[in-house]
Amino acid sequence: MQKPEALLHIDDLMSFMDASPVNFLAVETIRRRLENADFERLDQSEAWHIEPGGKYYVTKNDSAIFAFVAGNGMPYDGFRIISAHSDSPGFRIKPACEIAAAGKVLKLNTEVYGGPILYTWFDRPLSIAGRVIVRSNDPLHPERHLVKFGRPLLTIPHLAIHFNRAVNDGNPLSKQKDMLPVIALINDTAECNDYLLDMVADQLGIDKSDILDFDLSLYDTTPACLVGSNDEFITSGRLDDLSMAYSAMTALLESAECQMTKVMAIFDNEETGSGTKQGAASPELDYLLRRICACLGGNDEDYMRAVSNSFMVSADNAHGIHPNYPEKQDPTNHPRLGGGPVIKINANCKYMTDADSAAVFRVICQQAGVPCQYFVNHSDVAGGSTLGNILTTQIPLRGVDMGAALWAMHSVRETASAIDHEYIIAAFTEFFNC
Ligand code: ZN
């Protein structure tokens, strides 16, 4: 039986999840915690002054965040990096989103982001969060405001079974027809005009005419919680990949000073292939590491030596063996919930892990006193990819792909093991205690 006292971080992890309903808010939650721990914000458009042992962070597009503790060794000593991603699959609200629908109902037009399991979004108490762009005196630099409504505002009502008796035999869904959320009852279609903008302006206390654009998404307002007769499981939206972002941040905050530079890299847009300036396919991390090396007095050769001396843990969650579908997993490598961090390996290099980097991570887990396990795809299943192999097209880093074992990846609510997160934080802290 699991000992609840061993779950030191789990309440904090759940608070973190609840405070982070979308990518922009996740970055803001991390940013605040870094500020509370005396990390200094750096602006990419200005000159940097970095002291050995100093703590710094930088954001990109408000939706990616990179924090580091500068090493107190030589510029070529290299980096210990943990990467994760801030985004999760879901629904983004389209411009001109109001639709007057049958029954004097106002619904909102949305577009699917990434690959959510669509039917898990039905009949939930949903709300809205994200970023709003507001007019300033400088056309190239409008103001950016974060917004989170907090209270339930919308739901996507499912069709009653009486209108589709075959619903439980498989029910194909249209993203455009079946998945639109309702937000209000109206008397007149004129009420639809700027309905959302009025709400946003009200929430932010600004003039509607100053709102230029927005990046707003839906989220489930149901808080994270533990389930299981011994609180074995954590269930929450967005465990993929905010539980790894939380673990990386916690290890960065709790680990000791280091000769090498410790880096936490939280990218956006992993769920759509990482191909944005704030995604892992951009040269953002290369620029950051190169710049840290230069600010610590290194030259080009020092940077290349630093990259060669570095190691990255690419942290993104993995599929735990499912009690109802064990046949979906590889016959000999099927990670289980509660079995510790999962090393992900793929013969076709969808993961950056190789025998050398897996060996490094296994020893780190051993030193931290935590178990670890492997995930390999069932050979007839294509599987997914993640940050690690995309990052190595930009920087030739040694590293490992790993994560926590999870059920229902990309459901609006995913389930993982509580103790696995303690194991992973312990392993990450050991990695950063270099
Ligand atoms: Zn992920």
Side-chain angles (χ1 to χ4, degrees):
M1 189 190 295
Q2 216 158 266
K3 293 193 191 71
E5 61 266 30
L7 299 176
L8 288 175
H9 296 92
I10 209 75
D11 287 334
D12 191 43
L13 169 60
M14 290 193 287
S15 311
F16 177 89
M17 302 300 298
D18 294 341
S20 310
V22 299
N23 53 353
F24 295 104
L25 275 294
V27 164
E28 175 62 8
T29 308
I30 295 168
R31 193 191 71 73
R32 282 193 193 169
R33 292 195 175 207
L34 294 170
E35 287 274 345
N36 287 342
D38 297 323
F39 278 69
E40 184 186 324
R41 183 173 201 142
L42 297 173
D43 188 325
Q44 285 184 308
S45 63
E46 287 172 11
W48 291 0
H49 302 286
I50 293 174
E51 301 288 338
K55 303 188 284 188
Y56 308 90
Y57 76 93
V58 58
T59 60
K60 185 80 174 179
N61 187 49
D62 310 317
S63 63
I65 187 163
F66 307 87
F68 61 94
V69 180
N72 49 31
M74 303 303 291
Y76 48 74
D77 280 339
F79 306 92
R80 295 256 170 134
I81 306 158
I82 303 178
S83 64
H85 64 89
S86 64
D87 60 321
S88 312
F91 294 86
R92 189 180 190 276
I93 299 174
K94 290 179 176 174
C97 58
E98 293 89 356
I99 298 174
K104 296 190 173 181
V105 163
L106 172 56
K107 60 183 186 178
L108 299 188
N109 194 6
T110 60
E111 185 171 13
V112 169
Y113 175 82
I117 302 177
L118 292 176
Y119 59 81
T120 63
W121 282 78
F122 283 116
D123 307 316
R124 300 259 174 184
L126 304 176
S127 192
I128 295 171
R131 179 173 71 165
V132 178
I133 308 297
V134 176
R135 189 186 309 282
S136 78
N137 293 329
D138 178 354
L140 272 171
H141 298 96
E143 289 174 18
R144 290 125 54 205
H145 295 257
L146 298 181
V147 67
K148 177 188 169 196
F149 281 91
R151 69 188 176 95
L153 285 174
L154 315 98
T155 192
I156 307 173
H158 199 281
L159 184 66
I161 194 168
H162 312 82
F163 295 115
N164 180 9
R165 295 283 181 186
V167 64
N168 292 325
D169 304 331
N171 184 32
L173 296 171
S174 156
K175 293 166 185 166
Q176 189 64 61
K177 177 175 173 59
D178 295 302
M179 303 310 301
L180 299 189
V182 304
I183 191 164
L185 289 172
I186 50 170
N187 293 313
D188 193 298
T189 52
E191 286 178 53
C192 292
N193 297 336
D194 288 347
Y195 195 93
L196 181 68
L197 287 189
D198 283 331
M199 286 181 64
V200 170
D202 240 35
Q203 181 76 14
L204 292 176
I206 57 174
D207 199 307
K208 177 176 68 176
S209 61
D210 287 333
I211 298 176
L212 297 169
D213 212 328
F214 55 75
D215 294 302
L216 295 175
S217 298
L218 307 185
Y219 71 95
D220 181 8
T221 59
T222 318
C225 68
L226 298 182
V227 300
S229 64
N230 300 301
D231 288 344
E232 292 96 328
F233 306 111
I234 175 172
T235 164
S236 171
R238 309 169 302 281
L239 285 174
D240 170 18
D241 192 29
L242 295 186
S243 67
M244 291 301 99
Y246 172 84
S247 302
M249 176 194 74
T250 304
L252 186 69
L253 296 179
E254 294 185 359
S255 55
E257 264 200 23
C258 182
Q259 187 180 337
M260 301 167 81
T261 296
K262 301 184 286 187
V263 182
M264 176 197 74
I266 310 297
F267 294 94
D268 193 9
N269 303 126
E270 190 276 340
E271 300 294 355
T272 56
S274 297
T276 59
K277 63 190 180 304
Q278 61 275 7
S282 80
E284 191 65 20
L285 184 65
D286 177 45
Y287 286 5
L288 174 74
L289 302 184
R290 199 179 282 276
R291 200 160 172 183
I292 294 169
C293 183
C295 289
L296 292 172
N299 58 26
D300 273 359
E301 190 190 24
D302 291 327
Y303 179 61
M304 286 168 199
R305 290 176 69 188
V307 168
S308 175
N309 287 327
S310 296
F311 195 90
M312 179 165 75
V313 175
S314 161
D316 197 357
N317 282 321
H319 304 295
I321 190 162
H322 194 295
N324 299 341
Y325 308 95
E327 72 281 4
K328 296 287 183 188
Q329 290 261 354
D330 180 66
T332 62
N333 299 279
H334 32 255
R336 65 179 188 87
L337 273 62
V342 179
I343 296 170
K344 302 193 282 187
I345 194 153
N346 177 260
N348 296 300
C349 309
K350 292 253 181 78
Y351 301 127
M352 73 189 299
T353 313
D354 52 26
D356 164 62
S357 61
V360 170
F361 192 71
R362 283 184 62 158
V363 171
I364 288 166
C365 289
Q366 277 169 8
Q367 286 179 352
V370 307
C372 77
Q373 43 188 348
Y374 278 89
F375 173 86
V376 185
N377 278 318
H378 184 289
S379 297
D380 296 329
V381 174
S385 82
T386 178
L387 301 164
N389 62 326
I390 290 172
L391 278 166
T392 50
T393 63
Q394 295 290 338
I395 322 171
L397 286 165
R398 257 174 110 205
V400 65
D401 268 302
M402 57 71 65
L406 200 74
W407 291 326
M409 189 179 285
H410 293 191
S411 169
V412 74
R413 205 171 172 86
E414 299 161 328
T415 300
S417 142
I419 195 70
D420 279 345
H421 290 91
E422 301 294 345
Y423 291 150
I424 287 170
I425 291 165
F428 286 1
T429 306
E430 179 68 28
F431 174 62
F432 273 154
N433 281 338
C434 36

